[in-house]
């Protein structure tokens, strides 16, 4: 602090002396060659003044710059966002070798909480605040749509622990008549666009974790995302990290493998990290509704994958919502939230980088003995703890998925949690790869 104060003081002294010298100079300078030419003199004076102003502006900028540099924690200092004259600090994170998953310097990752009319957002915020290791590193921004007063009061009750912003446009979205019942989805899409623009454009952050108001988080939620951020910077074939495993039910996950992460071609949402670059890419074409299924289309995904955990780091407690009533009862309430924290930032997770993961993954899947579904279900499998069950058509995939209790729906041809067409889960302690034949060439978007 004293250093900072002295630099600022020096700056001020410099600034004042500059002005004093300038005044002396202007007063003592000889008259122009043609004193009677008033117009020319006025123009000269104006030009001089402008040049001086320019110099002074530069000086002030320098003062500002240096005091900013010494200020290690300016209120929300954006993640690795450096003043323009510095070498881009972002390079530190994107190029740091960090094979051990070491964290980039001075990173800030805001949590964007999408809220509307559910006062139960309290449960979400309580859980986010319970595990938050640092307010500076993880500022929480709650974006509220819908103008719901009670929900607004709940958010405000957290005071300075969170930032409350309000989506200003509460009007109905014009929709085609046959979509009138989907009005809610249009408003959600509009809200996401506005809120993400606030985070990236208005507030200037370089990354964000998006969380909906009906999610609660695991103790190592922040560790997971902080470590994943490094991966996203390193690997352009990753476009998100998600806290969610669509098949994260107790019976389908390896209980002791909290540390285990995967790549997924399916965009899971439900607590997910993205970089500014992705938002800049998606924002101009952001859809009026159903943004998540839109994001899953090949034109948006462009072959990119997300990181997802074996054990979920979020769980939804909400039932009320535009889509989730029945789905919650049948499925979501069985999702297992990880309770065994992993220090991901101190763990080597570079195995998720494409060039390391893909050959390993192919070897695992197609090196595993092939078994028939009945054999696996009955536990009559000879050999290892890993097996492969193959599907060839959409219908066999669905039938097999149903038999094992994994999600059977497909979006743009991609099954939930699938990677290279393979859905990986456990069945009675055995790792099962539900996989297409080895000569698989890609997803078929007509599989729905
Ligand atoms: C960032 O790192 C890349 C790769 O090492 C390098 O080519 C580039 O010049 C760096 N940019 C800056 C601004 O330092
Ligand atoms: C981290 O893991 C990667 C891939 O598994 C490996 O190549 C690298 O050597 C590991 N780094 C350290 C420091 O152990």
């Amino acid at each position: 602090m004293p250093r900072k104060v002295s630099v600022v003081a020096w700056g001020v002294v410099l600034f004042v002396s500059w002005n004093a010298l300038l005044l002396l100079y202007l007063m003592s300078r000889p008259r122009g060659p043609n004193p009677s030419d008033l117009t020319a003199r006025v123009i000269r004076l104006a030009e001089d003044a402008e040049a001086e102003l320019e110099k002074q502006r530069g000086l002030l900028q320098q003062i500002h710059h240096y005091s900013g540099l010494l200020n290690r924690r300016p209120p929300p200092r954006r993640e690795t966002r450096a003043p323009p004259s510095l070498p881009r600090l972002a390079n530190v994170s994107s190029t740091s070798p960090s094979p051990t998953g070491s964290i980039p310097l001075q990173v800030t990752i805001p949590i964007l909480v999408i809220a509307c009319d559910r006062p139960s957002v309290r449960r979400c915020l309580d859980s986010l605040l319970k595990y938050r290791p640092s307010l500076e590193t993880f500022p929480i921004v709650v974006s509220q749509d819908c103008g719901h007063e009670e929900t607004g009061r709940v958010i405000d009750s957290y005071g300075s622990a969170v930032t409350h912003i309000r989506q200003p446009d509460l009007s109905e979205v014009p929709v085609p008549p046959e979509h009138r019942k989907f009005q809610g989805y249009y408003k959600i899409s509009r809200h996401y666009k506005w809120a993400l623009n606030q985070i990236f454009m208005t507030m200037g952050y370089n990354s964000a974790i998006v969380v909906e108001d009906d999610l609660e988080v695991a103790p190592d939620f922040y560790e997971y995302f902080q470590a994943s951020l490094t991966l996203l910077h390193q690997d352009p074939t990753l476009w998100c990290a998600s806290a969610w495993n669509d098949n994260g039910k107790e019976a389908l996950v390896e209980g002791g493998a909290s540390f285990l992460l995967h790549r997924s071609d399916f965009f899971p949402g439900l607590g997910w990290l993205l970089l500014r670059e992705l938002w800049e890419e998606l924002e101009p074409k952001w859809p009026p509704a159903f943004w998540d299924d839109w994001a899953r289309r090949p034109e948006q995904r462009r072959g990119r994958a997300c990181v997802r955990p074996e054990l979920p780091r979020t769980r939804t407690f909400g039932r009320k919502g535009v889509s989730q009533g029945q789905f919650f009862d049948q499925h979501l309430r069985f999702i297992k939230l990880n309770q065994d924290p992993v220090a991901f930032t101190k763990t080597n997770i570079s195995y998720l980088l494409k060039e390391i993961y893909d050959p390993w993954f192919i070897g695992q899947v197609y090196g595993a003995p092939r078994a028939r579904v009945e054999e696996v279900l009955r536990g009559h499998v000879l050999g290892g703890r890993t097996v492969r069950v193959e599907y060839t058509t959409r219908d066999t995939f669905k039938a097999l998925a149903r038999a094992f209790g994994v999600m059977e729906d497909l979006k743009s041809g991609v099954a939930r949690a699938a990677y290279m067409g393979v859905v990986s889960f456990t069945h009675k302690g055995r790792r099962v790869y539900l996989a297409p034949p080895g000569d698989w060439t890609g997803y078929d978007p007509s599989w729905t």
Side-chain angles (χ1 to χ4, degrees):
M1 274 305 153
R3 251 190 91 196
K4 179 187 161 195
V5 168
S6 77
V7 168
V8 171
W10 266 111
V12 170
V13 167
L14 218 75
F15 186 68
V16 169
S17 4
W18 180 263
N19 277 294
L21 280 170
L22 171 67
L23 198 66
L24 274 172
Y25 165 73
L26 283 179
M27 278 164 56
S28 62
R29 69 196 290 214
R31 300 280 172 231
N34 184 0
S36 61
D37 193 352
L38 196 61
T39 318
R41 266 189 70 200
V42 169
I43 289 173
R44 277 264 307 283
L45 262 176
E47 281 171 355
D48 286 354
E50 199 176 344
E52 285 315 320
L53 275 175
E54 199 51 42
K55 274 184 204 157
Q56 289 184 17
R57 210 164 61 90
L59 252 171
L60 271 177
Q61 269 176 351
Q62 276 181 32
I63 293 170
H64 186 75
H65 174 72
Y66 285 116
S67 62
L69 273 184
L70 288 174
N71 187 357
R72 309 290 300 177
R73 278 188 183 153
R77 184 69 252 161
R78 317 315 187 197
E79 180 233 316
T80 63
R81 191 113 168 109
S85 52
L86 275 181
R88 251 166 57 84
L89 285 181
N91 246 16
V92 173
S93 59
S94 56
T95 60
S96 75
S98 71
T100 52
S102 71
I103 50 171
L105 234 58
Q106 274 197 316
V107 166
T108 301
I109 316 175
I111 318 297
L112 170 62
V113 180
I114 299 288
C116 169
D117 59 358
R118 294 188 280 210
S120 58
V121 66
R122 180 181 292 286
R123 194 163 154 188
C124 169
L125 294 178
D126 284 348
S127 117
L128 280 170
L129 290 169
K130 180 173 175 187
Y131 301 119
R132 179 165 70 170
S134 145
L135 186 150
E136 285 79 19
T137 310
F138 299 104
I140 295 173
V141 178
V142 188
S143 178
Q144 191 195 356
D145 195 5
C146 315
H148 192 249
E149 279 184 29
E150 191 189 345
T151 305
R153 277 196 300 274
V154 168
I155 299 165
D156 286 336
S157 74
Y158 287 85
S160 60
V162 309
T163 303
H164 185 185
I165 58 175
R166 291 175 176 82
Q167 200 278 112
D169 183 0
L170 301 181
S171 64
E172 293 291 293
V173 185
V175 301
E178 69 275 17
H179 271 195
R180 207 164 289 144
K181 62 173 180 286
F182 298 131
Q183 177 71 218
Y185 290 98
Y186 282 81
K187 288 186 175 169
I188 288 173
S189 198
R190 175 175 69 186
H191 184 196
Y192 265 83
K193 181 171 182 176
W194 180 83
L196 285 164
N197 270 331
Q198 290 294 305
I199 292 286
F200 290 116
M201 305 306 160
T202 310
M203 301 180 184
Y205 290 112
N206 278 346
S207 62
I209 301 167
V210 182
V211 167
E212 285 175 29
D213 60 351
D214 63 345
L215 290 179
E216 56 191 343
V217 307
D220 55 0
F221 174 87
Y222 296 96
E223 270 287 315
Y224 169 64
F225 281 117
Q226 198 163 358
S228 305
L229 181 67
T230 309
L231 284 179
L232 260 60
H233 280 305
Q234 288 174 330
D235 184 347
T237 68
L238 289 173
W239 71 328
C240 96
S242 167
W244 189 252
N245 173 3
D246 274 292
N247 294 315
K249 294 183 189 178
E250 183 121 38
L252 296 172
V253 296
E254 194 177 331
S258 299
F259 58 87
L260 183 59
L261 307 176
H262 307 269
R263 289 175 70 103
S264 168
D265 290 324
F266 189 89
F267 171 77
L270 295 171
W272 56 287
L273 167 71
L274 77 161
L275 301 183
R276 156 195 287 277
E277 290 72 27
L278 180 61
W279 181 242
E280 285 171 352
E281 174 190 324
L282 298 182
E283 195 267 351
K285 52 176 182 170
W286 192 249
F290 313 109
W291 70 268
D292 46 356
D293 285 344
W294 169 85
R296 290 169 181 141
R297 288 198 207 135
E299 315 88 90
Q300 276 68 251
R301 189 169 78 80
R302 295 166 55 202
R304 291 171 291 188
C306 295
V307 177
R308 60 116 181 146
E310 172 81 3
L311 275 84
R313 263 60 182 191
T314 49
R315 173 172 63 195
T316 167
F317 56 80
R319 289 202 42 183
K320 192 183 151 211
V322 288
S323 68
Q324 284 186 355
Q326 207 189 7
F327 192 50
F328 179 84
D329 284 340
Q330 288 174 358
H331 181 70
L332 296 178
R333 68 196 180 97
F334 298 109
I335 292 289
K336 182 178 164 62
L337 187 68
N338 179 54
Q339 294 301 335
D340 174 22
V342 175
F344 283 111
T345 60
K346 299 179 183 65
T347 308
N348 186 355
I349 58 169
S350 343
Y351 65 88
L352 292 157
L353 298 172
K354 187 178 178 65
E355 66 269 22
I356 301 173
Y357 190 89
D358 285 6
W360 169 84
F361 185 70
I362 295 286
Q364 283 289 301
V365 173
Y366 294 97
R370 185 173 171 191
R372 296 191 311 129
V373 58
E374 306 81 35
E375 295 169 335
V376 181
L377 290 175
R378 283 197 219 107
H380 292 171
V381 186
L382 297 176
R385 292 190 55 236
T386 305
V387 295
R388 181 175 83 260
V389 176
E390 281 194 9
Y391 67 88
T392 46
T393 65
R394 187 192 69 132
D395 290 340
T396 53
F397 170 78
K398 291 201 169 210
L400 292 170
R402 205 171 308 142
F404 285 113
V406 305
M407 301 292 288
E408 61 181 82
D409 61 333
L410 300 140
K411 307 277 186 183
S412 295
V414 186
R416 290 180 187 267
Y419 190 62
M420 302 175 104
V422 182
V423 179
S424 165
F425 57 94
T426 66
H427 180 79
K428 295 193 176 137
R430 186 173 271 124
R431 172 69 52 184
V432 180
Y433 295 119
L434 186 49
D439 59 0
W440 182 82
T441 53
Y443 294 101
D444 179 347
S446 74
W447 287 23
T448 53

